[in-house]
Amino acid sequence: MRTELMSAASVPTEHPAAGHARVPLLDVAGLTLDFETRSGRVKALDDVGFTLQKGEILGIVGESGSGKSVLSYAIMGLLNEAARLTAERLTFNGLDLAAGTTDLAALRGRELSMIFQSPRTALNPIRRVGEQIADVLVRHGPMPRAQARDEAVAALARVRIPDPKARARAYPFELSGGMCQRVMIAMALACRPALLIADEPTTGLDVTTQAVVMDLIRDIVDDTHMAAILITHDLALAGEYADRLMVMHAGHVVETAPTEALLADPRHPYTRRLFAATPTADTTLDTLSTVPGRLPDLRRVLLPCRFAGRCDRHQPECDAGPVPVVPVGIDHCVRCRVPT
Amino acid sequence: MTPLIDARGLSKRFAVHRGLKSAHLHAVDAIDLTIGVGESVGLVGESGCGKSTLARLIARLIDTTSGELAFAGSDIGAVPARRFATSPQRAGIQVVFQDPNDSLNPGFTVFQAVADPIRQLGQATGRAEVTDRVMQALDDVGLPREFSARYPHQLSGGQKARVGIARAIAVKPRLLVLDEPTSALDVSVQSVILRLLADLRVRHGMSYLFVSHDLNVVRLITDRIAVMYLGKIVEIGPSADVFAHPRHPYTRALIAAIPDPARRGARPPRLEGSASSPIDPDPSVCRFAGRCPAETFICRQSMPLLKAAGRDHEVACHHAEAAEDMP
């Protein structure tokens, strides 16, 4: 949990001024990402900025196509050659990730780690899971294979897999979905990274297993001061586990705030719509609303506000130039000219 | 009144081989379930609990191993699934599948996808008549008629879901079996589809069997909920009641595991581990034993049967009475 309070006038994309703010582990500002495709230039991300502190979980929420996953690929340096990435700032632990001088392959798996959706397809089906974890340790430890095998068993024990020694010898098909996702987490955490990116880590798992896996990630963050980014379309899940939330829509960050503040008082019209469309324990079918329209085609010429076509608060001034990110509360910012 | 679906002792066992001995996987184990005319029943539980198998049995996509299944008073359980597919009763029970991306033929236009079951079941033969029925189905699900010439790849996720529903209701079924119909959709679209389903049920007087792992969604669209664990129904009752006063320890754990921002920082006890083996389970042991926080000696002596626990509410647990005090 963050303890320092940002002054209401400061914008989170601003580099922390000398004084009260800590230097963030991950610092992103003015990140813009286009893809050159045969059917035109896809403006996937525009002017994305956020910071992440050690020991903090940032939840990124939004519909599919909002740019959540591609943002994590940009951070991890996993984009293909069609991508055109520019950023005012993209630093991790003081290293410039966008410069091309940082050896990302050496960082990935050691300092920066990622767990993907569908653990069964992410794991190699014909190798024992213990060996797959040992591979990471041999590459990044670096350490001899025999030692890496022992470490792999310890890594499985850390994610509370019962009888880790026996499970290390199992193939992915011999394990349940929840168990495979724990293996993925064990692998991602084997080198004790500073940042874990979890992209829909519990999609496809049962609610009961989801709760166990998410509790585990939360515990590891609390115990080791690792930072984590939780990418999910499930607002309730992000709301329960993240310290801060960032709402994305069509490649823009439309709202960021500490979780409690955002849940209590969402200010961007899209965030409000998204909340109202998410079923909770007291929703009825009559109170459950919808988000009208759909995401704009990111290959077309876009209005300055990418939510304009779906927004019921749209004003003529919304189309006048880029929409500024404005503070609306303590550490709470929206990209909107007419916040609610 | 005769229920639309009346299942008695419905079972499905799959033969598996363990070394030289053959054994049976009890996917659905002697289940009694009724679905009233116009009623919507939800089926929840973890993956592997048998909820999809039960839905497929009731939809007559697979054959039962034993038990009886009556649809509108007539015995359909004895008809082989292969023959049921061409019987006139096939139109009475239709299925909406989970992922519209996988369940629509990519080579069929919307028109062909919706017209196919109408023609297959011989409900309309003339070109004009078929067109009429297809357009009516598209109107019903709120899909513009000009979409009939489109292929699945030209549709959004929500539109594909609408096609899946249009195809199922085109033959005027009395029971719609919905297998996780919204799990592949964004929340922005999910609420539209849920509303559409609720509206269609009223307009056409259909009954629903709604299978889902998302309890907050099931609650919205069902009158009653059945909770399954390892092939058995462990709790069944009015949806609001099951949510507000869950009596079975497993139902409690399921509800406690729904993510809820209001519970931030709180750590309710979690259901660890996974279900025991469904292969030839001991008939005298409660299926939930081993994972249950309320387990006592008796739970391994006799399998608890469903017992009344309130109005229309039944629970299979030796300790259901004490359930209010359980974690």
Side-chain angles (χ1 to χ4, degrees):
Chain A
M1 193 64 71
R2 304 187 67 163
T3 46
E4 83 282 353
L5 301 177
M6 276 189 159
S7 72
S10 79
V11 174
T13 53
E14 213 82 314
H15 202 274
H20 56 284
R22 286 176 287 167
V23 176
L25 178 70
L26 183 67
D27 189 356
V28 181
L31 186 148
T32 297
L33 174 66
D34 295 340
F35 286 98
E36 296 293 350
T37 69
R38 271 185 288 178
S39 54
R41 177 181 284 239
V42 179
K43 296 175 261 317
L45 295 172
D46 180 47
D47 191 27
V48 168
F50 67 94
T51 59
L52 182 64
Q53 304 287 351
K54 281 183 184 162
E56 187 179 51
I57 299 183
L58 172 72
I60 303 183
V61 295
E63 290 167 82
S64 27
S66 61
K68 313 184 289 288
S69 292
V70 84
L71 174 59
S72 64
Y73 299 154
I75 295 165
M76 295 286 288
L78 294 174
L79 298 165
N80 65 13
E81 57 271 25
R84 303 282 174 270
L85 177 75
T86 58
E88 279 164 39
R89 204 164 46 243
L90 177 53
T91 62
F92 169 74
N93 239 344
L95 290 165
D96 189 348
L97 297 182
T101 50
T102 306
D103 184 2
L104 275 164
L107 276 183
R108 276 196 298 259
R110 198 178 67 205
E111 297 280 331
L112 287 169
S113 231
M114 188 156 179
I115 48 181
F116 299 89
Q117 268 185 57
S118 59
R120 253 182 237 287
T121 51
L123 289 169
N124 184 337
I126 55 162
R127 298 199 70 213
R128 299 178 195 276
V129 296
E131 288 298 316
Q132 298 189 49
I133 297 171
D135 288 344
V136 182
L137 291 158
V138 169
R139 166 75 173 79
H140 290 295
M143 59 176 75
R145 174 68 55 181
Q147 190 190 344
R149 283 196 186 111
D150 294 340
E151 274 293 314
V153 174
L156 290 172
R158 279 201 294 278
V159 296
R160 296 190 217 121
I161 287 183
D163 198 1
K165 208 162 178 170
R167 296 298 167 91
R169 295 186 54 77
Y171 291 96
F173 78 89
E174 294 175 297
L175 302 175
S176 68
M179 215 48 99
C180 280
Q181 193 56 288
R182 282 195 227 193
V183 170
M184 284 298 295
I185 295 172
M187 189 186 292
L189 300 179
C191 294
R192 301 177 189 269
L195 171 64
L196 173 74
I197 300 179
D199 189 357
E200 304 270 7
T202 56
T203 304
L205 301 183
D206 287 311
V207 278
T208 45
T209 315
Q210 166 173 281
V212 173
V213 167
M214 287 309 304
D215 284 355
L216 179 67
I217 292 177
R218 180 77 250 182
D219 285 347
I220 291 164
V221 167
D222 291 345
D223 295 348
T224 65
H225 289 279
M226 180 181 78
I229 295 178
L230 169 66
I231 297 172
T232 177
H233 64 279
D234 187 342
L235 201 58
L237 187 73
E240 184 172 344
Y241 288 98
D243 299 309
R244 282 159 54 79
L245 292 179
M246 176 161 121
V247 183
M248 293 193 70
H249 177 268
H252 274 150
V253 174
V254 296
E255 186 160 7
T256 52
T259 304
E260 280 92 352
L262 192 84
L263 293 172
D265 188 18
R267 302 296 295 276
H268 194 281
Y270 175 65
T271 315
R272 287 194 166 246
R273 286 286 188 174
L274 202 60
F275 282 20
T278 305
T280 64
D282 3 87
T283 330
T284 64
L285 211 49
D286 298 322
T287 59
L288 189 67
S289 74
T290 66
V291 185
R294 50 206 278 197
L295 292 173
D297 186 341
L298 299 179
R299 288 167 300 193
R300 301 267 169 79
V301 177
L302 295 158
L303 291 169
C305 174
R306 295 184 176 185
F307 190 58
R310 309 172 79 180
C311 185
D312 53 3
R313 296 173 62 83
H314 184 254
Q315 302 290 325
E317 72 210 64
C318 295
D319 301 332
V323 182
V325 176
V326 292
V328 290
I330 296 164
D331 197 17
H332 187 165
C333 296
V334 293
R335 180 185 292 271
C336 183
R337 286 186 191 275
V338 283
T340 58
Chain B
M1 199 168 73
T2 319
L4 186 68
I5 287 286
D6 193 354
R8 297 279 155 218
L10 205 60
S11 298
K12 180 69 185 178
R13 292 187 288 275
F14 295 101
V16 289
H17 297 280
R18 277 183 154 181
L20 290 174
K21 277 203 282 187
S22 77
H24 285 96
L25 186 150
H26 295 234
V28 171
D29 200 358
I31 277 182
D32 296 343
L33 181 71
T34 61
I35 303 173
V37 174
E39 190 187 30
S40 173
V41 175
L43 207 52
V44 301
E46 290 169 294
S47 41
C49 72
K51 58 186 194 298
S52 287
T53 305
L54 178 58
R56 279 159 191 271
L57 284 176
I58 291 175
R60 294 302 288 112
L61 297 176
I62 54 175
D63 286 323
T64 57
T65 307
S66 63
E68 290 163 23
L69 179 64
F71 172 67
S74 72
D75 178 15
I76 58 166
V79 186
R82 196 175 274 268
R83 219 168 62 207
F84 189 80
T86 54
S87 86
Q89 273 164 323
R90 174 72 278 172
I93 307 173
Q94 289 290 304
V95 188
V96 176
F97 294 95
Q98 185 168 5
D99 190 344
N101 297 310
D102 293 341
S103 58
L104 292 177
N105 185 334
F108 273 17
T109 62
V110 170
F111 184 92
Q112 288 169 316
V114 180
D116 193 47
I118 300 173
R119 289 206 187 95
Q120 294 284 347
L121 294 169
Q123 290 202 341
T125 40
R127 198 183 169 76
E129 205 183 342
V130 171
T131 306
D132 215 41
R133 290 284 292 274
V134 171
M135 292 307 163
Q136 199 187 323
L138 295 184
D139 292 350
D140 272 342
V141 299
L143 209 57
R145 289 182 168 204
E146 55 270 26
F147 275 61
S148 60
R150 295 206 185 177
Y151 287 92
H153 76 271
Q154 297 169 308
L155 303 174
S156 70
Q159 287 161 350
K160 274 183 266 195
R162 284 175 201 265
V163 176
I165 297 167
R167 179 175 62 171
I169 64 166
V171 293
K172 305 193 186 302
R174 298 187 64 194
L175 173 71
L176 213 51
V177 176
L178 300 132
D179 189 3
E180 307 254 11
T182 62
S183 66
L185 302 174
D186 269 310
V187 284
S188 53
V189 191
Q190 173 175 274
S191 47
V192 188
I193 299 299
L194 290 175
R195 285 245 182 105
L196 171 69
L197 288 170
D199 177 50
L200 285 171
R201 178 158 77 98
V202 177
R203 261 198 290 153
H204 295 279
M206 286 184 286
S207 303
Y208 284 178
L209 179 64
F210 194 101
V211 183
S212 180
H213 69 274
D214 190 335
L215 288 105
N216 275 336
V217 167
V218 175
R219 195 176 54 79
L220 289 175
I221 197 158
T222 57
D223 306 315
R224 283 194 301 147
I225 290 180
V227 182
M228 278 187 75
Y229 191 83
L230 266 181
K232 287 276 191 201
I233 289 179
V234 295
E235 182 160 7
I236 183 164
S239 304
D241 202 24
V242 169
F243 261 82
H245 309 288
R247 306 297 288 274
H248 197 284
Y250 177 63
T251 315
R252 293 178 160 251
L254 265 189
I255 291 173
I258 305 172
D260 182 359
R263 260 208 309 271
R264 272 178 72 69
R267 280 300 171 77
R270 301 299 193 194
L271 199 56
E272 281 277 357
S274 48
S276 49
S277 170
I279 295 165
D280 291 333
D282 189 334
S284 61
V285 175
C286 172
R287 297 280 159 92
F288 196 44
R291 263 180 120 188
C292 181
E295 187 185 330
T296 58
F297 179 70
I298 186 157
C299 305
R300 289 186 186 271
Q301 298 299 307
S302 76
M303 161 106 72
L305 302 171
L306 279 172
K307 285 191 301 255
R311 203 161 172 260
D312 288 335
H313 196 149
E314 289 181 295
V315 186
C317 175
H318 290 304
H319 304 295
E321 287 78 21
E324 296 294 334
D325 313 323
M326 277 193 273

